[in-house]
């Protein structure tokens, strides 16, 4: 039986998940039967260690659930609402549209869809996961339909585009691209006229697990589970052949013959790097031999500066991966390890169960298509800053060298000449603040994840006191590295609803600087107390005691209090920018 | 053509899995009334698993027309590819 067949997933869905699993509350509404899809989403969540609690609305109740403030959907208090609309229903609405009205079909459909989004946004803070339509055409006109604005496929494609544009303009809508997935897999695989006819299922039973996975990938990214670094082998992974034996001239790379497959994977990796995913090398090799192609080979697409870290030696790979992970200071479960050798993959998997190790195909020609289909790199945000992330980590390596060269740690901190920029949230920073809340797992006191729309709402609400922090030093700009959000809990006290920080700037006395800023913000607004809270997760133990270390009094139960008047400023090596 | 005995053994395994009941014993006379949890929802899952296991697709009239496991076995016997 298929490992992740519908039956397996529905069985998993019925199981009671471990209590410590993070919970995501998902409301599912559709114009088709969504029970199987819901079960598969829940089952897939359990495989990925998220307890997705589901409210699955009755058949064809999208508007009824969304328009009525007292509906089950709203009383369920969802974190996300998944709106599943199927092509079959769209087609039948198209058929009942008058011929002369069909040119406006997509626009009218989009009007309805965007009204639902607005209604939801007015009543809840939940994100919206909106299905795109699988491409279908009745071939009444053949390919001529592509130049006929009133044809179904013309209108369907326009509608998908309108949904994408609407999602790009707003901040709380995440389309799930069933259109792309259906063209990748084929409409005949994805759909089954029999199960649609009999049970109104939007997908064939064999495809439902993949459709569910597409939805779960978005939820995982929203929960902060995303890939941050790809660790790459070299020989027969990034080029063909063995550089230490064949020499730099002998490796396969470039336009010709088998080299093309390796150029393709290098190009793919470069794109991922440019979108903010770090690359690192982990190769059993002589370091100079391994670096030579990156420096001298004219056909190489990746260059040394594309890598945050380059590790080539003869130690076991698991050991090198642990070194890379601690050096970059990111979670092991945010790493992907890519190696052509089944032996190395198995060894790494056995030694480090948290890491993702794709079972690469034997033929390098299939590498890129295989990795594309794994969809390992789902994102829920993108900022131009992402492209420069490798530079940030390389500057970090420079700082570590400076630390080694300094006689004391204090000397090192002084030599960095650090200045922080600190202000309340402004629109330029909304995307980056939201993204940091989603990506920070270790230094995150309450692990509340915010979307851009949440951040905008908070920034505009005068009840909140917010600050973001950008750190500059002699090695450059670390970008936005921390933020906190406070709101009053009574007339005298402020509650720190969120405080998260990038681990890149740990132990630079940034924490001290931020807590000082918290207290002075509270003082300026006339509050007497600041209450902090620590909510433990499996990842954030490092900050369990941070408030007491920085001058708060431990009240027990993870709560801490600082008295504004008597607070003694923490010593910091960071000046105001 | 597959032997009836083999089909019923393999089917029994699928039923046990889909309905989460290892003690399940299907016969030719078994109907949806005899199996806990065999409703329209699980029926779709069951059909999907059988199609996957035996390598063929049921036709619509077969899915609608099957009165009991016996008729299911007869269809599988004629059409199974694995």
């Amino acid at each position: 039986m298929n490992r992740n067949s519908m039956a397996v997933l529905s069985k998993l869905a019925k199981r009671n998940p471990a209590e410590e699993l993070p919970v995501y509350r998902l409301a599912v509404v559709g114009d088709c039967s969504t029970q199987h899809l819901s079960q598969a989403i829940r089952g897939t969540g359990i495989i990925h260690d998220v307890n997705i609690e589901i409210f699955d609305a009755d058949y064809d109740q999208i508007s009824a659930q969304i328009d009525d403030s007292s509906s089950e959907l709203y009383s369920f208090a969802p974190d996300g609402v998944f709106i599943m609309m199927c092509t079959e229903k769209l087609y039948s609405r198209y058929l009942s549209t008058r011929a002369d009205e069909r040119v406006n079909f997509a626009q009218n459909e989009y009007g309805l869809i965007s009204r639902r989004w607005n209604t939801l946004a007015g009543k809840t803070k939940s994100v919206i996961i909106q299905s795109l339509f699988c491409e279908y055409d009745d071939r009444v006109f053949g390919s001529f339909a592509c130049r006929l604005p009133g044809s179904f496929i013309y209108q369907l494609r326009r509608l998908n585009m309108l949904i994408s544009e609407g999602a790009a303009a707003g901040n709380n809508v995440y389309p799930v691209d069933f259109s792309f997935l259906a063209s990748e897999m084929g409409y005949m695989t994805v759909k089954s006229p029999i199960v649609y006819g009999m049970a109104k299922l939007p997908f064939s039973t064999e495809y439902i697990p993949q459709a569910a996975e597409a939805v779960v990938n978005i939820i995982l990214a929203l929960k902060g589970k995303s890939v941050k670094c790809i660790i790459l082998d070299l020989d027969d992974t990034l080029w063909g052949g063995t550089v230490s034996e064949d020499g730099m001239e002998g490796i396969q790379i470039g336009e010709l013959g088998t080299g093309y497959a390796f150029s393709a994977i290098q190009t793919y990796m470069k794109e991922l790097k440019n979108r903010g995913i770090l690359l690192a090398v982990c190769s059993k090799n002589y370091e100079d031999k391994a670096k030579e192609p990156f420096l001298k080979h004219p056909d190489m697409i990746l260059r040394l500066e594309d890598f945050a870290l380059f590790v080539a030696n003869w130690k076991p790979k698991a050991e090198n991966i642990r070194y890379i992970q601690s050096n970059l200071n990111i979670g092991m479960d945010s790493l992907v390890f890519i190696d052509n050798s089944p032996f190395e993959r198995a060894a790494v998997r056995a030694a480090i169960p948290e890491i993702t190790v794709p079972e690469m195909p034997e033929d390098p020609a299939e590498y890129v298509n295989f990795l594309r289909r794994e969809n390992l790199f789902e994102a829920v945000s993108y900022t131009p800053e992402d492209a420069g992330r490798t530079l940030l980590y390389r500057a970090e390596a420079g700082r570590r060298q400076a630390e080694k060269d300094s006689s004391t740690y204090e000397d090192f901190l002084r030599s960095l000449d650090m200045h922080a920029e600190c202000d309340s949230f402004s629109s330029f920073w909304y995307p980056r603040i939201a993204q940091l809340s989603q990506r920070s797992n270790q230094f995150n006191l309450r692990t509340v994840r915010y979307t851009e729309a949440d951040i905008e709402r908070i920034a505009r609400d005068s009840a909140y006191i917010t600050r973001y922090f950008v750190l500059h030093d002699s090695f450059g700009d670390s970008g936005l590295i921390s933020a906190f959000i406070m709101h009053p809990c009574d007339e005298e006290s402020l509650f720190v609803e969120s405080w998260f920080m990038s681990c890149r700037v740990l132990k630079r006395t940034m924490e001290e600087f931020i807590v000082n800023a918290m207290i002075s913000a509270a003082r300026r607004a006339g509050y007497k107390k600041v209450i902090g809270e620590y909510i433990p997760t499996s990842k954030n133990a490092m900050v369990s005691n941070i408030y007491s270390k920085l001058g708060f009094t431990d009240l027990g139960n993870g709560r801490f209090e600082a008295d504004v008047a008597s607070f003694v400023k923490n010593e910091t090596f960071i000046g105001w920018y | 053509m597959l032997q009836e005995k083999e089909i019923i053994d393999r089917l029994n395994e699928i039923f046990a899995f889909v309905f989460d009941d290892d003690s399940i014993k299907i016969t030719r006379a078994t109907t949806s009334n005899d199996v806990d949890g065999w409703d329209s929802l699980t029926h779709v899952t069951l059909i999907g698993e059988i199609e996957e296991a035996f390598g063929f697709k049921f036709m619509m009239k077969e899915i609608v027309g099957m009165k009991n496991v016996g008729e299911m076995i007869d269809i599988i016997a004629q059409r199974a590819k694995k």
Side-chain angles (χ1 to χ4, degrees):
Chain A
M1 225 167 280
N2 239 342
R3 193 172 61 88
N4 287 344
S5 73
M6 187 58 235
V8 176
L9 293 175
S10 54
K11 200 173 252 194
L12 277 172
K14 283 178 206 137
R15 203 180 281 169
N16 280 333
E19 253 177 52
E20 66 272 15
L21 285 195
V23 173
Y24 191 89
R25 296 172 71 78
L26 182 72
V28 180
V29 287
D31 61 4
C32 45
S33 167
T34 50
Q35 291 150 296
H36 289 79
L37 196 51
S38 294
Q39 277 192 355
I41 288 171
R42 179 165 169 73
T44 307
I46 292 192
I47 291 173
H48 292 286
D49 291 331
V50 179
N51 177 8
I52 304 177
E53 286 177 359
I54 290 189
F55 161 67
D56 184 14
D58 288 341
Y59 178 73
D60 209 5
Q61 294 293 308
I62 305 180
S63 287
Q65 287 289 341
I66 291 177
D67 292 344
D68 176 5
S69 301
S70 61
S71 71
E72 296 152 292
L73 183 147
Y74 294 110
S75 53
F76 178 69
D79 299 308
V81 178
F82 171 37
I83 304 175
M84 177 67 225
M85 298 173 68
C86 66
T87 300
E88 291 87 342
K89 281 280 169 65
L90 186 75
Y91 184 55
S92 72
R93 288 196 295 278
Y94 168 85
L95 292 178
S96 56
T97 304
R98 274 197 357 236
D100 58 337
E101 269 296 305
R102 287 180 176 180
V103 288
N104 299 318
F105 179 70
Q107 198 63 54
N108 292 337
E109 283 287 319
Y110 177 67
L112 175 70
I113 291 169
S114 60
R115 268 200 302 284
R116 286 173 179 159
W117 294 349
N118 292 336
T119 307
L120 274 170
K123 295 181 206 266
T124 73
K125 293 188 292 175
S126 52
V127 306
I128 297 164
I129 300 175
Q130 170 72 52
S131 63
L132 292 187
F133 294 93
C134 299
E135 285 196 9
Y136 168 83
D137 189 46
D138 51 21
R139 307 301 279 167
V140 163
F141 292 99
S143 292
F144 186 71
C146 300
R147 49 171 288 181
L148 201 64
S151 75
F152 181 64
I153 188 74
Y154 194 107
Q155 291 296 314
L156 181 150
R157 286 179 176 146
R158 173 180 272 178
L159 177 54
N160 277 342
M161 207 57 223
L162 285 168
I163 292 172
S164 291
E165 285 169 4
N171 290 316
N172 233 5
V173 178
Y174 299 87
V176 48
D177 199 352
F178 292 130
S179 167
F180 168 77
L181 290 169
S183 53
E184 176 101 352
M185 306 297 297
Y187 192 86
M188 311 295 257
T189 309
V190 164
K191 294 279 187 175
S192 157
I194 296 182
V195 296
Y196 181 79
M198 293 193 339
K200 297 291 176 283
L201 259 61
F203 300 112
S204 65
T205 38
E206 64 177 294
Y207 180 71
I208 279 179
Q210 272 173 275
E213 180 110 23
V215 176
V216 172
N217 282 337
I218 294 174
I219 293 172
L220 292 175
L222 285 165
K223 292 291 277 179
K225 293 191 169 207
S226 59
V227 170
K228 293 176 184 163
C229 175
I230 304 170
I231 301 178
L232 293 152
D233 170 52
L234 296 177
D235 293 331
D236 287 318
T237 300
L238 285 188
W239 55 65
T242 307
V243 71
S244 63
E245 290 167 16
D246 307 336
M248 188 186 80
E249 316 70 34
I251 61 170
Q252 299 145 36
I253 183 81
E255 284 301 305
L256 295 174
T258 53
Y260 180 76
F262 298 99
S263 293
I265 184 140
Q266 288 202 12
T267 305
Y268 186 51
M269 289 301 141
K270 188 124 179 168
E271 277 301 301
L272 288 167
K273 177 233 151 192
N274 288 341
R275 98 112 163 102
I277 290 174
L278 301 173
L279 304 180
V281 163
C282 173
S283 166
K284 281 189 177 158
N285 239 315
Y286 301 105
E287 190 172 341
D288 53 337
K289 291 267 183 213
K291 284 187 170 168
E292 202 182 357
F294 292 101
L295 294 166
K296 297 184 188 156
H297 200 297
D299 293 333
M300 291 285 285
I301 289 151
L302 292 170
R303 295 291 167 186
L304 278 187
E305 60 268 23
D306 292 320
F307 296 96
L309 272 178
F310 196 105
V311 182
N313 57 36
W314 302 95
K315 290 182 195 167
K317 293 214 170 184
E319 196 177 312
N320 284 331
I321 289 169
R322 286 207 181 87
Y323 166 79
I324 292 169
Q325 180 259 334
S326 68
N327 215 292
L328 297 176
N329 212 347
I330 51 183
M332 204 51 110
D333 61 356
S334 66
L335 297 179
V336 171
F337 172 62
I338 294 181
D339 196 313
N340 70 299
S341 152
F343 167 79
E344 295 291 358
R345 291 198 298 263
V348 166
R349 238 183 245 125
I352 311 173
E354 309 95 293
I355 193 170
T356 303
V357 186
E359 198 52 32
M360 297 299 284
E362 211 180 318
D363 188 346
E366 298 295 332
Y367 283 173
V368 172
N369 270 332
F370 170 77
L371 287 171
R372 275 188 329 107
R373 286 187 176 197
E374 289 287 286
N375 196 35
L376 295 168
F377 311 108
E378 190 73 45
V380 286
S381 61
Y382 176 76
T383 70
E385 217 183 43
D386 291 349
R389 192 169 285 133
T390 303
L391 282 177
L392 297 179
Y393 279 86
R394 286 176 71 85
E396 193 51 36
R399 288 185 193 100
R400 266 192 305 276
Q401 193 55 47
E403 185 184 341
K404 274 188 201 156
D405 297 344
S406 303
S407 52
T408 68
Y409 194 70
E410 287 193 3
D411 277 352
F412 160 66
L413 290 178
R414 233 169 255 122
S415 76
L416 287 177
D417 190 24
M418 294 181 286
H419 293 276
E421 185 183 328
C422 158
D423 209 340
S424 44
F425 294 177
S426 54
S427 58
F428 176 79
W429 294 108
Y430 294 165
R432 177 62 188 143
I433 295 165
Q435 191 186 50
L436 191 63
S437 83
Q438 288 151 12
R439 291 174 61 98
S440 301
N441 295 314
Q442 300 178 74
F443 199 117
N444 199 337
L445 272 301
R446 297 182 74 244
T447 319
V448 183
R449 311 292 189 189
Y450 300 92
T451 63
E452 272 181 60
D454 295 333
I455 294 296
E456 182 175 353
R457 184 176 41 77
I458 288 167
R460 290 193 171 165
D461 185 338
S462 58
Y464 284 91
I465 294 177
T466 63
R467 294 286 185 272
Y468 69 84
F469 298 85
V470 176
L471 181 62
H472 307 265
D473 69 14
S474 54
F475 285 90
D477 175 355
S478 291
L480 189 146
I481 41 80
S482 185
F484 66 71
I485 296 170
M486 304 196 288
H487 62 73
C489 50
D490 57 51
E491 278 177 15
E492 299 204 321
S493 330
L494 280 173
F495 178 68
V496 187
E497 173 184 308
S498 263
W499 175 22
F500 40 85
M501 188 175 90
S502 161
C503 289
R504 282 193 322 233
V505 296
L506 271 181
K507 293 192 190 137
R508 302 266 182 78
T509 66
M510 193 66 218
E511 305 90 302
E512 285 78 358
F513 184 93
I514 293 169
V515 164
N516 293 348
M518 248 177 218
I519 302 298
S520 54
R523 183 179 296 124
R524 199 174 313 162
Y527 289 95
K528 294 191 174 140
K529 281 178 180 151
V530 176
I531 314 277
E533 188 181 34
Y534 165 72
I535 301 178
T537 68
S538 59
K539 301 240 178 99
N540 69 351
M542 71 153 68
V543 291
S544 60
N545 241 335
I546 188 109
Y547 281 121
S548 10
K549 267 193 271 179
L550 298 177
F552 282 62
T553 311
D554 191 343
L555 302 177
N557 283 330
R559 286 175 82 94
F560 304 84
E561 181 184 282
D563 181 57
V564 172
S566 65
F567 188 80
V568 182
K569 272 197 171 182
N570 292 292
E571 192 194 356
T572 171
F573 288 83
I574 300 169
W576 289 82
Y577 187 67
Chain B
M1 217 161 83
L2 293 172
Q3 295 299 309
E4 176 144 342
K5 168 87 173 71
E6 188 195 337
I7 295 173
I8 207 157
D9 286 349
R10 284 168 65 186
L11 262 187
N12 205 78
E13 213 175 294
I14 294 170
F15 272 73
F17 189 83
V18 170
F19 298 108
D20 222 350
D21 177 3
D22 286 337
S23 67
I24 213 163
K25 276 276 168 290
I26 53 164
T27 66
R28 284 193 68 92
T30 305
T31 70
S32 57
N33 292 329
D34 307 320
V35 178
D36 254 6
W38 191 351
D39 54 23
S40 57
L41 183 72
T42 46
H43 189 60
V44 174
T45 308
L46 176 70
I47 294 291
E49 291 294 331
I50 295 171
E51 289 180 336
E52 164 74 23
F54 291 94
F56 76 100
K57 296 262 183 220
F58 286 99
M59 285 189 282
M60 190 153 49
K61 62 174 185 211
E62 294 169 341
I63 299 178
V64 179
M66 285 183 288
K67 298 277 182 296
N68 53 34
V69 170
E71 290 183 22
M72 188 179 261
I73 291 169
D74 294 339
I75 297 165
I76 294 171
Q78 283 171 32
R79 315 252 315 277
K81 297 217 173 62
K82 57 184 186 187

